[in-house]
């Protein structure tokens, strides 16, 4: 169920992420996104940079090796890059990563902001991903930040959108509450990836926000989402 009202306001549970295991390439995976490792989502020097990646597959039905989430409605967020293989072949994401410098590799936490010239809607991006064998992706590195917010007995004032199958919480509005009063740079469009240094699935993050009197919130920001 939803967390207590003193944590956030007007939570909206979304449906499953648009792109599930059919693109991830792991038939043993459930519809839930794989849980991030405790070492996931570390700040890097290339935060906020944009690069292009090209993935090739033999059929539009072949998985890419990416688990994607569409909760912010504008981008496809890379929950996890599958490091393994698909039966009989390497996954396109794995082939691509093996062929490029570390600075151009697809990583957990990246944002896909354009697919084959299409941008501006996660639904349109997902449609483009599912309909072409060659995918020209524009990928934005995340800008990560961590803020401690003392709730001081009031609501955080965050309007959150989320999927029970996901691994993050999308902030759709920052309302009156502890976050706004604290003056920290948390904005509509940011994604909450960790609470108190711990990544996890939606219900874990919500529980940590609810039970912590001064939660440490790690957010991921995409330039295109904030500008929209």
């Amino acid at each position: 169920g939803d967390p207590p009202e003193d944590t956030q306001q007007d939570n909206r549970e979304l449906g499953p992420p648009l792109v599930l295991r059919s693109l991830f390439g792991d038939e043993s995976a459930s519809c839930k996104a794989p849980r991030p490792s405790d070492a996931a989502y570390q700040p890097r020097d290339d935060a906020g940079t944009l690069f292009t990646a090209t993935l090739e597959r033999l059929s539009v039905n072949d998985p890419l090796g990416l688990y994607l989430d569409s909760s912010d409605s504008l981008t496809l967020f890379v929950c996890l890059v599958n490091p393994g293989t698909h039966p009989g072949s390497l996954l396109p994401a794995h082939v691509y990563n093996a062929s490029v410098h570390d600075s151009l590799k697809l990583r957990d936490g990246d944002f896909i902001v354009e697919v084959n010239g299409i941008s501006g809607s996660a639904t349109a991006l997902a449609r483009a991903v599912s309909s072409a064998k060659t995918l020209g992706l524009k990928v934005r590195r995340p800008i990560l930040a961590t803020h401690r917010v003392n709730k001081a007995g009031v609501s955080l004032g965050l309007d959150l959108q989320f999927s029970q199958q996901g691994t993050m919480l999308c902030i759709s509005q920052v309302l009156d509450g502890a976050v706004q009063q604290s003056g920290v740079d948390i904005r509509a469009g940011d994604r909450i990836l960790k609470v108190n240094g711990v990544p996890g699935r939606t219900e874990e993050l919500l529980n940590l926000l609810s039970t912590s009197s001064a939660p440490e919130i790690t957010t991921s920001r995409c330039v295109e989402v904030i500008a929209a």
Side-chain angles (χ1 to χ4, degrees), residues 29 54-55 61 84 95 97 99 106-107 110 123 127 129 131 134 138 146 154-155 157 164 169 173 182 197 218-220:
T54 301
L55 304 186
N61 296 317
V95 172
N97 275 356
S99 71
L106 293 167
R107 303 179 196 143
D110 283 341
T123 301
R127 191 178 300 118
V129 164
S131 62
T134 299
K138 283 192 178 179
T146 299
V154 301
S155 164
Q164 291 288 7
L169 308 171
Q173 292 185 80
S182 70
T218 298
T219 59
S220 173

Side-chain angles (χ1 to χ4, degrees), residues 15-25 31-34 55 57 63-72 75-82 93 106-113 115 122 125-130 135 137 139 163 165-168 191:
L18 283 173
V19 186
L20 298 173
R21 67 177 182 180
S22 60
L23 284 179
F24 185 60
C31 285
K32 284 191 175 183
L55 304 186
R57 55 185 171 178
L64 295 174
L66 300 174
Y67 193 106
L68 305 174
D69 176 274
S70 61
S71 298
D72 66 29
T75 72
L76 297 178
F77 177 82
V78 181
C79 299
L80 190 68
V81 179
N82 188 338
L106 293 167
R107 303 179 196 143
D108 303 349
D110 283 341
F111 292 90
I112 297 173
V113 299
V115 179
L125 292 176
R127 191 178 300 118
V129 164
S130 65
L135 299 173
L137 310 178
V139 184
S163 165
Q165 289 80 14
T167 58
M168 79 289 297
R191 288 170 179 255

Side-chain angles (χ1 to χ4, degrees), residues 60-198:
V60 295
N61 296 317
D62 289 344
L64 295 174
L66 300 174
Y67 193 106
L68 305 174
D69 176 274
S70 61
S71 298
D72 66 29
S73 78
L74 291 173
T75 72
L76 297 178
F77 177 82
V78 181
C79 299
L80 190 68
V81 179
N82 188 338
T85 60
H86 190 57
S89 66
L90 291 172
L91 293 163
H94 183 82
V95 172
Y96 167 78
N97 275 356
S99 71
V100 298
H101 187 269
D102 285 351
S103 63
L104 296 175
K105 292 183 188 298
L106 293 167
R107 303 179 196 143
D108 303 349
D110 283 341
F111 292 90
I112 297 173
V113 299
E114 184 177 304
V115 179
N116 293 345
I118 295 168
S119 63
S121 160
T123 301
L125 292 176
R127 191 178 300 118
V129 164
S130 65
S131 62
K133 293 187 289 185
T134 299
L135 299 173
L137 310 178
K138 283 192 178 179
V139 184
R140 181 72 70 179
R141 297 294 195 202
I143 300 171
L144 301 181
T146 299
H147 306 278
R148 186 171 294 280
V149 178
N150 190 338
K151 290 159 69 173
V154 301
S155 164
L156 283 173
L158 296 179
D159 181 356
L160 301 174
Q161 297 187 44
F162 57 89
S163 165
Q164 291 288 7
Q165 289 80 14
T167 58
M168 79 289 297
L169 308 171
C170 291
I171 301 172
S172 59
Q173 292 185 80
V174 179
L175 307 169
D176 185 40
V179 168
Q180 193 175 89
Q181 292 169 16
S182 70
V184 299
D185 185 17
I186 293 178
R187 307 183 202 176
D190 288 345
R191 288 170 179 255
I192 297 174
L193 300 183
K194 298 181 183 181
V195 179
N196 298 337
V198 180

